[in-house]
């Protein structure tokens, strides 16, 4: 499969190996069926590790809006580094050794450094997962901890103008040097990931996250843009807690570093937003009858909670009444206890949606996203989720992806799209040119 461009038209028999967990699922497209591959943009040197390391070192030496980290570290007693959890693509095991070296050069020794996994409300990581996340050498050098969103583990710092109580992890608040890391890509709720998202929701309390995310009901978010209520609220929280340094990267589905930015958490982040958009936001002019989508395999399809992002992106290019086939392993099932509870106990989706529109509920809010898709499309799901739960979600179980694909191809005039990395591919549907008046 050639994925060097954002979208192309194919013809002739083709077997696609759709990402699925840590492996793939084959999909045989008949030679009579035209198709488009809709994918984020890739470059030939994207997998060059030496280039990636050079990018990080260069940006650490010339940060945007702050002195180099080694200078900021002078005289500091305790540094905390916030990193993304295992559901994200940020290659923390690559960037952390360079950050630790910078801190050491500034006089902050390893025993005065804590790495805090910015879980938000995601599940705790096991010691083995923490070691894989940061790398074996880093795991033995410094203290690595899971964030806790429990109220007793956070400190109240103030309230934003939107009413969000800024309650932040006690360990981070009490440190005198705070560093955030992460990867930058479009985000359906915050507009853009990375930057201040390491703080809220990353190391915030449940109450703080709940209120901040509820602001998504107050305005439309455009993926790739930060002008929305949720992101503005996140940024305002910096009035109450200072972030001294940021290192963010743009990565592909293999965690290869494409770009790196460092420095001020707002200023440096802003310089990379357009670069991320140029990679992950792709033009699309066609409404497809059938779209085959994968979140992109592990870790993007670990849970239904995360896989819904790819489903929404596929929905953007699928015409009303069209069909979506999603291959997402979901080895961890829903990935959120509240979502599981609502799916398994709520009488029907309409009642769930009505309740959520009256009062936002973190976790269960994903049902709003599902309803938006299911109200317009038929969705087949190929996954490891048991058949009854798949049906309760509103999907048609597809134990065999190929069989479901043949069911979806009802006639030879079907317009077909294949989206292999749906969680990283944000279609920008372009308006068709209007015919001039006669």
């Amino acid at each position: 499969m050639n994925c060097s461009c954002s979208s192309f038209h194919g013809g002739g028999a083709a077997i696609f190996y759709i990402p699925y967990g840590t492996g793939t699922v084959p999909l045989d497209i008949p030679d009579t069926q035209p198709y488009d591959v809709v994918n984020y943009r890739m470059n030939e040197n994207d997998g060059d590790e030496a280039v990636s390391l050079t990018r990080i070192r260069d940006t650490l030496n010339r940060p945007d809006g702050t002195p180099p980290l080694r200078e900021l570290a002078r005289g500091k007693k305790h540094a905390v580094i916030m990193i993304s959890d295992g559901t994200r693509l940020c290659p923390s095991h690559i960037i952390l050794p360079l950050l630790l070296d910078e801190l050491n050069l500034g006089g902050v020794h390893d025993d005065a450094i804590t790495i805090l996994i910015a879980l938000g409300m995601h599940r705790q990581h096991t010691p083995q997962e923490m070691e894989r996340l940061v790398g074996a050498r880093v795991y033995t050098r410094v203290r690595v901890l899971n964030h806790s969103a429990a109220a007793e583990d956070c400190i109240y710092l103030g309230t934003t103008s939107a009413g969000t109580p800024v309650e932040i992890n006690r360990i981070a608040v009490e440190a005198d040097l705070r560093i955030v890391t992460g990867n930058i890509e479009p985000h359906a709720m915050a507009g853009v990931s990375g930057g201040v998202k390491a703080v809220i929701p990353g190391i915030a309390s449940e109450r703080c996250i709940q209120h901040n995310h509820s602001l998504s009901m107050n305005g439309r978010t455009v993926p790739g843009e930060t002008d929305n209520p949720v992101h503005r609220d996140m940024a305002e929280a910096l009035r109450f807690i200072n972030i001294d340094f940021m290192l963010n990267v743009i990565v592909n589905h293999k965690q290869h570093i494409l770009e790196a930015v460092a420095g001020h958490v707002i200023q440096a982040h802003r310089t990379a937003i357009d670069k991320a958009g140029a990679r992950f936001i792709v033009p699309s002019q066609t409404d497809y009858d059938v779209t085959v989508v994968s979140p992109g395999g592990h870790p993007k399809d670990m849970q239904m909670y995360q896989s819904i992002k790819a489903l929404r992106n596929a929905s953007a290019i699928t015409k009303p009444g069209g069909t979506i086939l999603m291959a997402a392993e979901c080895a961890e099932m829903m990935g959120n206890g509240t979502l599981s509870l609502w799916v398994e106990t709520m009488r029907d989706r309409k009642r769930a949606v009505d309740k959520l529109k009256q009062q936002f509920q973190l976790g269960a809010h994903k049902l709003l996203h599902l309803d938006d898709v299911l109200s317009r499309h038929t969705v087949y799901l190929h996954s490891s989720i048991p058949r009854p739960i798949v049906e309760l979600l509103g999907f048609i179980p597809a134990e065999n992806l190929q069989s479901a694909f043949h069911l979806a191809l009802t006639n030879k005039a079907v317009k077909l799209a294949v989206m292999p990395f749906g969680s990283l591919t944000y279609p920008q549907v372009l308006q068709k040119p209007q015919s001039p008046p006669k």
Side-chain angles (χ1 to χ4, degrees):
M1 176 172 58
N2 177 13
C3 297
S4 61
C5 60
S6 60
S7 175
F8 69 86
H9 182 78
I15 296 180
F16 278 83
Y17 292 92
I18 307 297
Y20 183 82
T22 57
T24 59
V25 177
L27 181 68
D28 188 358
I29 299 177
D31 56 8
T32 56
Q33 176 59 56
Y35 58 90
D36 287 342
V37 177
V38 181
N39 199 21
Y40 75 95
R41 295 178 178 87
M42 302 180 186
N43 292 332
E44 291 182 1
N45 64 344
D46 282 351
D48 192 321
E49 185 173 346
V51 172
S52 297
L53 291 173
T54 299
R55 285 182 179 130
I56 300 173
R57 291 192 179 98
D58 287 346
T59 196
L60 287 175
N61 288 330
R62 294 189 295 273
D64 184 0
T66 70
L69 182 56
R70 66 185 69 179
E71 294 182 21
L72 293 172
R74 289 173 188 160
K76 302 299 184 182
K77 296 180 179 179
H78 181 206
V80 170
I81 305 173
M82 280 72 87
I83 67 168
S84 300
D85 68 22
T87 66
R88 306 308 191 212
L89 288 169
C90 183
S92 297
H93 62 287
I94 293 176
I95 66 179
L96 282 170
L98 299 176
L99 288 174
L100 296 185
D101 290 347
E102 285 288 303
L103 291 172
N104 291 166
L105 288 170
V108 180
H109 302 296
D110 287 350
D111 58 3
I113 302 171
T114 298
I115 294 173
L116 197 56
I117 304 175
L119 295 169
M121 286 295 293
H122 296 176
R123 71 163 175 83
Q124 299 280 294
H125 286 22
T126 67
Q128 294 78 15
E129 288 174 321
M130 290 192 285
E131 183 174 358
R132 284 198 300 269
L133 193 62
V134 304
R137 292 185 65 184
V138 169
Y139 193 68
T140 59
R141 282 181 63 179
V142 301
R143 183 170 66 155
V144 182
L145 300 174
N146 285 305
H147 163 62
S148 167
E152 61 268 26
D153 294 321
C154 298
I155 296 177
Y156 171 75
L157 302 176
T159 301
T160 68
S161 59
T164 299
V166 180
E167 298 171 334
I168 303 300
N169 186 286
R170 184 178 302 275
I171 295 168
V173 172
E174 294 177 348
D176 58 358
L177 183 63
R178 303 181 194 94
I179 302 139
V180 297
T181 66
N183 64 294
I184 302 173
E185 61 189 49
H187 191 275
M189 183 174 286
V192 182
S193 69
V196 73
K197 270 188 97 268
V199 181
I200 298 178
I203 57 167
S205 72
E206 180 179 4
R207 189 167 75 119
C208 176
I209 300 168
Q210 169 86 9
H211 193 278
N212 171 261
H213 282 28
S214 72
L215 299 176
S216 63
M217 307 291 286
N218 299 340
R220 180 173 173 266
T221 294
V222 178
E225 300 179 11
T226 57
D227 185 17
N228 60 76
V230 173
H231 201 280
R232 285 195 296 269
D233 191 59
M234 291 174 177
E236 188 182 339
L238 297 178
R239 292 198 293 116
F240 306 103
I241 181 167
N242 183 57
I243 298 301
D244 299 284
F245 194 80
M246 180 197 78
L247 175 60
N248 274 185
V249 294
I250 299 172
V251 300
N252 65 10
H253 66 279
K254 294 182 178 180
Q255 294 186 296
H256 297 149
I257 296 171
L258 314 177
E259 306 280 352
V261 291
H264 189 273
V265 66
I266 298 296
Q267 183 174 322
H269 182 258
R270 189 181 295 122
T271 66
I273 291 175
D274 287 345
K275 294 179 181 179
R279 287 277 187 170
F280 304 121
I281 298 176
V282 298
S284 177
Q285 294 183 324
T286 306
D287 286 340
Y288 293 96
D289 299 292
V290 178
T291 301
V292 180
V293 64
S294 163
H298 183 87
K300 291 292 189 179
D301 74 345
M302 288 170 58
Q303 313 155 344
M304 179 52 61
Y305 193 86
Q306 299 297 330
S307 297
I308 289 172
K309 298 173 182 178
L311 187 62
R312 296 180 77 189
N313 287 343
S315 176
I317 62 170
T318 307
K319 73 178 186 181
T323 300
I324 300 172
L325 287 78
M326 184 164 75
E329 185 179 36
C330 301
E332 296 186 2
M333 295 280 286
M334 294 297 109
N336 180 276
T338 303
L339 178 60
S340 294
L341 178 66
W342 280 57
V343 168
E344 295 178 20
T345 63
M346 194 64 64
R347 189 176 71 184
D348 55 48
R349 194 171 75 245
K350 181 180 183 304
R351 174 174 287 191
V353 168
D354 289 344
K355 287 175 69 71
L356 288 166
K357 287 180 178 178
Q358 292 171 16
Q359 184 173 355
F360 181 89
Q361 177 63 53
L362 187 66
H365 74 281
K366 291 286 186 176
L367 292 175
L368 292 171
H369 303 166
L370 272 180
D371 182 68
D372 181 57
V373 175
L374 291 169
S375 64
R376 293 179 289 125
H377 311 299
T378 298
V379 179
Y380 289 83
L381 177 66
H382 177 69
S383 79
S384 63
I385 297 176
R387 185 183 187 94
I389 306 302
V390 172
E391 292 177 346
L392 287 175
L393 280 163
F395 302 142
I396 300 173
E399 295 177 6
N400 184 290
L401 185 66
Q402 189 69 49
S403 297
F405 179 68
H406 286 312
L407 286 174
L409 296 182
T410 55
N411 59 69
K412 294 182 179 180
V414 165
K415 294 181 180 178
L416 171 67
V418 180
M419 189 183 289
F421 301 103
S423 290
L424 286 177
T425 306
Y426 286 77
Q428 185 179 57
V429 180
L430 303 178
Q431 298 296 323
K432 293 181 179 180
Q434 297 293 320
S435 301
K438 295 181 179 179

